Amino acid sequence: MEINFLAILVAALSTLAVGFIWYNPKVFGTIWMKESGMTEDDMKGSNMPKIFALTFIYSIMLALIMQVLVIHQFGAIGMVVGDPTIAKP
């Protein structure tokens, strides 16, 4: 199995992009802060580079795990516990 590092990087960056949109105050940011009991002052006191770096690292780890889970090397017959040699041309 070959790991596609470009796909892993794009997947990790896409989670950051979705998070930037999702937690924008014009979308759900203010609702999220209200429901979690946070204020603007709490957010200003946090270490944003550390939060973004850890989010990116965890996104890479999740993308690596998901790639391994969704690759089916035996084709459609192998997924239903068939003989994988039948599916090869």
Side-chain angles (χ1 to χ4, degrees), residues 26-84:
K26 294 180 181 177
V27 182
F28 291 117
T30 53
I31 297 169
W32 170 78
M33 284 179 34
K34 183 178 115 183
E35 293 298 322
S36 64
M38 296 187 77
T39 63
E40 289 282 337
D41 295 333
D42 293 337
M43 293 302 294
K44 289 179 183 176
S46 63
N47 188 356
M48 286 299 182
K50 181 180 177 182
I51 291 172
F52 289 135
L54 287 173
T55 302
F56 185 68
I57 290 168
Y58 291 142
S59 298
I60 288 174
M61 290 170 49
L62 181 62
L64 281 167
I65 292 168
M66 290 302 293
Q67 183 178 13
V68 171
L69 290 177
V70 300
I71 289 178
H72 304 287
Q73 293 181 351
F74 298 116
I77 295 174
M79 290 189 308
V80 291
V81 192
D83 186 10

Side-chain angles (χ1 to χ4, degrees), residues 10-22:
V10 169
L13 290 174
S14 69
T15 58
L16 289 176
V18 169
F20 288 143
I21 294 168
W22 188 266

